Amino acid sequence: MNTKFDELLDFPCRFPFKILGLADERLPDMVVEVLQRHVPGDYSPQVRPSSKGTYHAVTVQVTVTSKEQVELLYQKLGELDLVKYVL
């Protein structure tokens, strides 16, 4: 992944990850599990259903320490079966 996070952010910093996935009650726990594996911490995901209820948007604030860490989290979150997009 070739991003410019290192040019745009001063590390360490709080970074919001927004995960769009299928409406499934397991989605927030799956997201937190990935985050705990790579950046242990206390997370409180916010979940918003889509207007038709087909999808959920899960937003989580994470303290990241490097460009590589941000890129790794994008990759690992995107690999979850229920996830459609990571913003």
Side-chain angles (χ1 to χ4, degrees):
M1 198 178 288
N2 188 16
T3 64
K4 296 187 179 195
F5 288 121
D6 54 339
E7 296 172 19
L8 301 171
L9 301 171
D10 291 324
F11 295 103
C13 66
R14 299 282 289 163
F15 191 87
F17 283 90
K18 188 170 196 173
I19 299 93
L20 301 176
L22 296 176
D24 188 306
E25 64 185 27
R26 299 173 298 155
L27 181 60
D29 291 336
M30 293 170 73
V31 168
V32 169
E33 183 181 318
V34 168
L35 295 176
Q36 290 290 2
R37 202 173 316 134
H38 298 283
V39 187
D42 186 23
Y43 298 107
S44 299
Q46 297 176 336
V47 181
R48 285 190 22 216
S50 65
S51 59
K52 294 182 182 177
T54 307
Y55 298 99
H56 282 169
V58 179
T59 304
V60 184
Q61 293 283 333
V62 179
T63 299
V64 292
T65 57
S66 68
K67 166 188 171 178
E68 292 76 22
Q69 191 177 51
V70 174
E71 292 172 348
L72 176 69
L73 291 174
Y74 268 108
Q75 177 187 350
K76 295 300 180 183
L77 291 167
E79 290 173 357
L80 293 171
D81 291 338
L82 296 175
V83 171
K84 296 297 181 188
Y85 301 100
V86 181
L87 308 173

